[in-house]
Amino acid sequence: MTPLFLLLKDEKQSIMLFLNCLQREQAALVAAQVEQLGSINQEKLGLIERLNDIELRRLQMTGRSSAGDNGSMDEWLGAHPEEADAARIWPEILKLAREARKIHHTNGEFIQMHLDKTRETIAVLTHRQKEIGLYGSDGQASNQGGSRLVDSA
């Protein structure tokens, strides 16, 4: 086993952990279990840092300057037949990365949906306060919103 293969094996395992984290994040978002998101986010950030470090080491091992071109990794592996094991695991890594990207995008949509609902709720509540028209002792409309009962709650 070559050092590159061992690194790619670690990358695959790290992406699988990241996928699991994203799936737990999605389950928490669907169930609106906001209290779980903080710890999941901390774990996710740690895994992202780990994956970035692995990517940097992979780029250094292969002498590539950019990770954005996966085709060049395929070309590099094709030009290095001694890395046959690494060449076999690389497509699996790409597949897992695509799956992670898809789940991450979906989670972003769930988060946006929750934000939109929160904004709508706040708008309804603030609009309702503005509509409550109270009259002051002088018979003029007062700018105060709410009632003593609501204000004391």
Side-chain angles (χ1 to χ4, degrees), residues 46-86:
L47 288 166
I48 289 169
E49 189 175 308
R50 180 177 175 176
L51 285 165
N52 286 338
D53 179 59
I54 291 170
E55 179 183 49
L56 181 62
R57 290 178 14 223
R58 177 173 33 86
L59 289 171
Q60 290 170 343
M61 279 185 180
T62 59
R64 295 171 49 240
S65 61
S66 167
D69 185 9
N70 290 324
S72 65
M73 181 67 179
D74 289 329
E75 291 171 14
W76 189 93
L77 288 167
H80 293 84
E82 70 279 7
E83 295 290 355
D85 290 334

Short mmCIF file of all heavy atoms in Angstrom, two decimals, residues 46-86:
data_model
loop_
_atom_site.label_atom_id
_atom_site.label_comp_id
_atom_site.label_asym_id
_atom_site.label_seq_id
_atom_site.Cartn_x
_atom_site.Cartn_y
_atom_site.Cartn_z
N GLY A 46 -15.35 20.41 12.35
CA GLY A 46 -14.14 19.62 12.58
C GLY A 46 -13.85 18.69 11.42
O GLY A 46 -12.69 18.53 11.00
N LEU A 47 -14.89 18.07 10.88
CA LEU A 47 -14.71 17.17 9.73
C LEU A 47 -14.31 17.94 8.48
O LEU A 47 -13.49 17.46 7.69
CB LEU A 47 -15.99 16.37 9.49
CG LEU A 47 -16.28 15.28 10.52
CD1 LEU A 47 -17.71 14.77 10.40
CD2 LEU A 47 -15.27 14.14 10.39
N ILE A 48 -14.85 19.12 8.30
CA ILE A 48 -14.47 19.95 7.15
C ILE A 48 -13.00 20.31 7.24
O ILE A 48 -12.26 20.24 6.24
CB ILE A 48 -15.36 21.20 7.05
CG1 ILE A 48 -16.77 20.82 6.62
CG2 ILE A 48 -14.77 22.23 6.09
CD1 ILE A 48 -17.79 21.94 6.74
N GLU A 49 -12.56 20.67 8.42
CA GLU A 49 -11.15 21.00 8.62
C GLU A 49 -10.27 19.78 8.31
O GLU A 49 -9.24 19.91 7.65
CB GLU A 49 -10.94 21.46 10.07
CG GLU A 49 -9.57 22.04 10.32
CD GLU A 49 -9.46 22.59 11.74
OE1 GLU A 49 -10.33 23.40 12.12
OE2 GLU A 49 -8.51 22.21 12.43
N ARG A 50 -10.70 18.63 8.78
CA ARG A 50 -9.95 17.40 8.51
C ARG A 50 -9.89 17.10 7.01
O ARG A 50 -8.83 16.76 6.47
CB ARG A 50 -10.60 16.24 9.26
CG ARG A 50 -9.92 14.91 9.07
CD ARG A 50 -10.59 13.86 9.91
NE ARG A 50 -10.03 12.55 9.65
CZ ARG A 50 -10.37 11.47 10.30
NH1 ARG A 50 -11.27 11.52 11.26
NH2 ARG A 50 -9.83 10.31 9.98
N LEU A 51 -11.03 17.24 6.33
CA LEU A 51 -11.07 16.98 4.89
C LEU A 51 -10.21 17.98 4.12
O LEU A 51 -9.54 17.61 3.14
CB LEU A 51 -12.51 17.00 4.38
CG LEU A 51 -13.34 15.77 4.76
CD1 LEU A 51 -14.82 16.03 4.55
CD2 LEU A 51 -12.88 14.55 3.96
N ASN A 52 -10.21 19.23 4.54
CA ASN A 52 -9.36 20.22 3.88
C ASN A 52 -7.89 19.88 4.04
O ASN A 52 -7.10 20.04 3.10
CB ASN A 52 -9.65 21.62 4.42
CG ASN A 52 -10.97 22.18 3.93
OD1 ASN A 52 -11.49 21.76 2.90
ND2 ASN A 52 -11.52 23.12 4.67
N ASP A 53 -7.52 19.41 5.22
CA ASP A 53 -6.14 19.01 5.47
C ASP A 53 -5.74 17.82 4.60
O ASP A 53 -4.66 17.81 4.00
CB ASP A 53 -5.95 18.67 6.96
CG ASP A 53 -4.54 18.23 7.26
OD1 ASP A 53 -3.60 19.02 7.02
OD2 ASP A 53 -4.37 17.08 7.74
N ILE A 54 -6.61 16.84 4.51
CA ILE A 54 -6.35 15.67 3.67
C ILE A 54 -6.20 16.09 2.21
O ILE A 54 -5.30 15.63 1.50
CB ILE A 54 -7.46 14.61 3.83
CG1 ILE A 54 -7.39 13.99 5.23
CG2 ILE A 54 -7.36 13.53 2.76
CD1 ILE A 54 -8.59 13.11 5.57
N GLU A 55 -7.09 16.97 1.77
CA GLU A 55 -7.02 17.44 0.38
C GLU A 55 -5.69 18.14 0.10
O GLU A 55 -5.07 17.89 -0.93
CB GLU A 55 -8.18 18.40 0.10
CG GLU A 55 -8.17 18.95 -1.31
CD GLU A 55 -9.29 19.94 -1.52
OE1 GLU A 55 -9.45 20.86 -0.70
OE2 GLU A 55 -10.00 19.78 -2.52
N LEU A 56 -5.25 18.96 1.01
CA LEU A 56 -3.97 19.65 0.85
C LEU A 56 -2.81 18.65 0.76
O LEU A 56 -1.94 18.77 -0.12
CB LEU A 56 -3.74 20.64 2.00
CG LEU A 56 -2.46 21.44 1.96
CD1 LEU A 56 -2.42 22.33 0.72
CD2 LEU A 56 -2.34 22.29 3.21
N ARG A 57 -2.84 17.66 1.62
CA ARG A 57 -1.79 16.63 1.59
C ARG A 57 -1.84 15.83 0.29
O ARG A 57 -0.81 15.50 -0.30
CB ARG A 57 -1.91 15.71 2.80
CG ARG A 57 -1.54 16.45 4.06
CD ARG A 57 -1.65 15.70 5.37
NE ARG A 57 -1.80 14.28 5.36
CZ ARG A 57 -2.64 13.62 6.14
NH1 ARG A 57 -3.41 14.26 6.99
NH2 ARG A 57 -2.72 12.30 6.08
N ARG A 58 -3.05 15.55 -0.21
CA ARG A 58 -3.19 14.83 -1.49
C ARG A 58 -2.62 15.66 -2.63
O ARG A 58 -1.92 15.15 -3.50
CB ARG A 58 -4.66 14.49 -1.74
CG ARG A 58 -4.90 13.81 -3.08
CD ARG A 58 -6.32 13.30 -3.28
NE ARG A 58 -7.39 14.04 -2.69
CZ ARG A 58 -8.00 15.08 -3.24
NH1 ARG A 58 -7.58 15.55 -4.42
NH2 ARG A 58 -9.00 15.69 -2.65
N LEU A 59 -2.93 16.95 -2.63
CA LEU A 59 -2.40 17.83 -3.67
C LEU A 59 -0.87 17.86 -3.63
O LEU A 59 -0.21 17.84 -4.67
CB LEU A 59 -2.97 19.24 -3.51
CG LEU A 59 -4.44 19.41 -3.86
CD1 LEU A 59 -4.93 20.79 -3.45
CD2 LEU A 59 -4.71 19.14 -5.32
N GLN A 60 -0.32 17.92 -2.43
CA GLN A 60 1.14 17.93 -2.29
C GLN A 60 1.75 16.62 -2.77
O GLN A 60 2.78 16.62 -3.45
CB GLN A 60 1.53 18.21 -0.83
CG GLN A 60 1.23 19.61 -0.40
CD GLN A 60 1.38 19.81 1.11
OE1 GLN A 60 1.41 18.87 1.88
NE2 GLN A 60 1.46 21.08 1.52
N MET A 61 1.12 15.50 -2.44
CA MET A 61 1.65 14.19 -2.86
C MET A 61 1.66 14.03 -4.36
O MET A 61 2.53 13.38 -4.92
CB MET A 61 0.82 13.06 -2.24
CG MET A 61 1.15 12.72 -0.84
SD MET A 61 0.18 11.26 -0.36
CE MET A 61 0.74 11.05 1.30
N THR A 62 0.64 14.59 -5.00
CA THR A 62 0.51 14.41 -6.45
C THR A 62 1.13 15.56 -7.23
O THR A 62 1.15 15.53 -8.47
CB THR A 62 -0.97 14.26 -6.84
OG1 THR A 62 -1.68 15.43 -6.43
CG2 THR A 62 -1.58 13.02 -6.23
N GLY A 63 1.59 16.59 -6.53
CA GLY A 63 2.22 17.72 -7.21
C GLY A 63 1.23 18.58 -7.97
O GLY A 63 1.61 19.32 -8.87
N ARG A 64 -0.04 18.49 -7.59
CA ARG A 64 -1.07 19.31 -8.25
C ARG A 64 -1.26 20.59 -7.45
O ARG A 64 -1.05 20.62 -6.25
CB ARG A 64 -2.37 18.52 -8.33
CG ARG A 64 -2.21 17.30 -9.23
CD ARG A 64 -3.39 16.31 -9.21
NE ARG A 64 -4.65 16.97 -9.38
CZ ARG A 64 -5.63 16.91 -8.46
NH1 ARG A 64 -5.46 16.26 -7.34
NH2 ARG A 64 -6.77 17.52 -8.68
N SER A 65 -1.68 21.63 -8.12
CA SER A 65 -1.82 22.91 -7.44
C SER A 65 -3.26 23.25 -7.08
O SER A 65 -3.50 24.14 -6.28
CB SER A 65 -1.26 24.03 -8.31
OG SER A 65 -1.96 24.09 -9.53
N SER A 66 -4.23 22.55 -7.65
CA SER A 66 -5.63 22.89 -7.43
C SER A 66 -6.47 21.63 -7.31
O SER A 66 -6.28 20.66 -8.04
CB SER A 66 -6.14 23.74 -8.58
OG SER A 66 -7.53 23.84 -8.54
N ALA A 67 -7.41 21.67 -6.38
CA ALA A 67 -8.30 20.53 -6.21
C ALA A 67 -9.53 20.62 -7.10
O ALA A 67 -10.25 19.65 -7.24
CB ALA A 67 -8.76 20.46 -4.75
N GLY A 68 -9.76 21.76 -7.71
CA GLY A 68 -10.97 21.97 -8.50
C GLY A 68 -11.09 21.11 -9.74
O GLY A 68 -12.17 20.92 -10.26
N ASP A 69 -10.01 20.57 -10.21
CA ASP A 69 -10.03 19.79 -11.45
C ASP A 69 -9.82 18.32 -11.12
O ASP A 69 -8.70 17.83 -11.07
CB ASP A 69 -8.95 20.30 -12.41
CG ASP A 69 -9.01 19.60 -13.76
OD1 ASP A 69 -9.98 18.87 -14.01
OD2 ASP A 69 -8.07 19.80 -14.54
N ASN A 70 -10.93 17.59 -10.91
CA ASN A 70 -10.83 16.17 -10.59
C ASN A 70 -10.32 15.36 -11.78
O ASN A 70 -9.76 14.29 -11.61
CB ASN A 70 -12.18 15.63 -10.11
CG ASN A 70 -12.54 16.17 -8.75
OD1 ASN A 70 -11.68 16.37 -7.90
ND2 ASN A 70 -13.81 16.43 -8.54
N GLY A 71 -10.52 15.89 -12.97
CA GLY A 71 -10.01 15.21 -14.17
C GLY A 71 -8.50 15.11 -14.14
O GLY A 71 -7.93 14.11 -14.58
N SER A 72 -7.85 16.13 -13.61
CA SER A 72 -6.39 16.08 -13.55
C SER A 72 -5.92 15.02 -12.56
O SER A 72 -4.86 14.43 -12.73
CB SER A 72 -5.79 17.44 -13.22
OG SER A 72 -6.16 17.83 -11.92
N MET A 73 -6.71 14.73 -11.53
CA MET A 73 -6.38 13.65 -10.61
C MET A 73 -6.50 12.31 -11.34
O MET A 73 -5.64 11.44 -11.19
CB MET A 73 -7.29 13.68 -9.37
CG MET A 73 -6.99 12.60 -8.35
SD MET A 73 -5.37 12.85 -7.59
CE MET A 73 -5.34 11.47 -6.46
N ASP A 74 -7.54 12.18 -12.15
CA ASP A 74 -7.70 10.96 -12.95
C ASP A 74 -6.51 10.79 -13.90
O ASP A 74 -5.97 9.68 -14.05
CB ASP A 74 -9.00 10.99 -13.75
CG ASP A 74 -10.24 10.84 -12.87
OD1 ASP A 74 -10.16 10.16 -11.83
OD2 ASP A 74 -11.28 11.42 -13.23
N GLU A 75 -6.11 11.88 -14.52
CA GLU A 75 -4.96 11.85 -15.42
C GLU A 75 -3.69 11.47 -14.67
O GLU A 75 -2.89 10.66 -15.14
CB GLU A 75 -4.77 13.20 -16.11
CG GLU A 75 -5.85 13.54 -17.11
CD GLU A 75 -5.75 14.98 -17.61
OE1 GLU A 75 -4.70 15.63 -17.38
OE2 GLU A 75 -6.73 15.45 -18.20
N TRP A 76 -3.51 12.07 -13.49
CA TRP A 76 -2.33 11.78 -12.68
C TRP A 76 -2.29 10.30 -12.31
O TRP A 76 -1.25 9.65 -12.42
CB TRP A 76 -2.32 12.65 -11.42
CG TRP A 76 -1.03 12.55 -10.67
CD1 TRP A 76 0.06 13.36 -10.80
CD2 TRP A 76 -0.67 11.58 -9.68
NE1 TRP A 76 1.06 12.96 -9.96
CE2 TRP A 76 0.64 11.85 -9.26
CE3 TRP A 76 -1.33 10.50 -9.11
CZ2 TRP A 76 1.30 11.10 -8.29
CZ3 TRP A 76 -0.68 9.72 -8.15
CH2 TRP A 76 0.63 10.04 -7.75
N LEU A 77 -3.43 9.77 -11.87
CA LEU A 77 -3.49 8.35 -11.50
C LEU A 77 -3.22 7.46 -12.71
O LEU A 77 -2.56 6.43 -12.59
CB LEU A 77 -4.85 8.02 -10.87
CG LEU A 77 -5.07 8.59 -9.47
CD1 LEU A 77 -6.53 8.48 -9.06
CD2 LEU A 77 -4.17 7.88 -8.45
N GLY A 78 -3.72 7.86 -13.88
CA GLY A 78 -3.48 7.10 -15.10
C GLY A 78 -2.01 7.08 -15.49
O GLY A 78 -1.52 6.10 -16.07
N ALA A 79 -1.30 8.14 -15.16
CA ALA A 79 0.12 8.24 -15.50
C ALA A 79 1.01 7.56 -14.46
O ALA A 79 2.23 7.47 -14.66
CB ALA A 79 0.52 9.71 -15.63
N HIS A 80 0.41 7.08 -13.37
CA HIS A 80 1.18 6.43 -12.30
C HIS A 80 0.58 5.05 -12.00
O HIS A 80 -0.18 4.88 -11.05
CB HIS A 80 1.18 7.31 -11.04
CG HIS A 80 1.94 8.57 -11.22
ND1 HIS A 80 1.37 9.69 -11.79
CD2 HIS A 80 3.22 8.90 -10.94
CE1 HIS A 80 2.26 10.65 -11.83
NE2 HIS A 80 3.40 10.20 -11.33
N PRO A 81 0.93 4.06 -12.83
CA PRO A 81 0.35 2.72 -12.67
C PRO A 81 0.65 2.07 -11.33
O PRO A 81 -0.09 1.19 -10.89
CB PRO A 81 0.96 1.91 -13.82
CG PRO A 81 2.10 2.72 -14.32
CD PRO A 81 1.87 4.13 -13.93
N GLU A 82 1.69 2.54 -10.63
CA GLU A 82 2.01 1.99 -9.31
C GLU A 82 0.94 2.38 -8.27
O GLU A 82 0.90 1.82 -7.18
CB GLU A 82 3.40 2.47 -8.85
CG GLU A 82 3.51 3.94 -8.49
CD GLU A 82 3.67 4.89 -9.69
OE1 GLU A 82 3.59 4.46 -10.85
OE2 GLU A 82 3.88 6.09 -9.43
N GLU A 83 0.06 3.30 -8.64
CA GLU A 83 -1.01 3.75 -7.75
C GLU A 83 -2.35 3.11 -8.13
O GLU A 83 -3.40 3.73 -8.03
CB GLU A 83 -1.12 5.28 -7.79
CG GLU A 83 0.07 6.02 -7.24
CD GLU A 83 0.22 5.88 -5.73
OE1 GLU A 83 -0.66 5.30 -5.05
OE2 GLU A 83 1.24 6.40 -5.21
N ALA A 84 -2.32 1.84 -8.53
CA ALA A 84 -3.54 1.14 -8.95
C ALA A 84 -4.58 1.09 -7.83
O ALA A 84 -5.78 1.28 -8.08
CB ALA A 84 -3.20 -0.27 -9.43
N ASP A 85 -4.14 0.87 -6.59
CA ASP A 85 -5.10 0.83 -5.47
C ASP A 85 -5.73 2.21 -5.28
O ASP A 85 -6.94 2.32 -5.04
CB ASP A 85 -4.40 0.39 -4.18
CG ASP A 85 -4.00 -1.07 -4.21
OD1 ASP A 85 -4.64 -1.86 -4.94
OD2 ASP A 85 -3.04 -1.43 -3.49
N ALA A 86 -4.92 3.24 -5.37
CA ALA A 86 -5.44 4.60 -5.24
C ALA A 86 -6.42 4.91 -6.38
O ALA A 86 -7.46 5.55 -6.16
CB ALA A 86 -4.29 5.61 -5.24
#
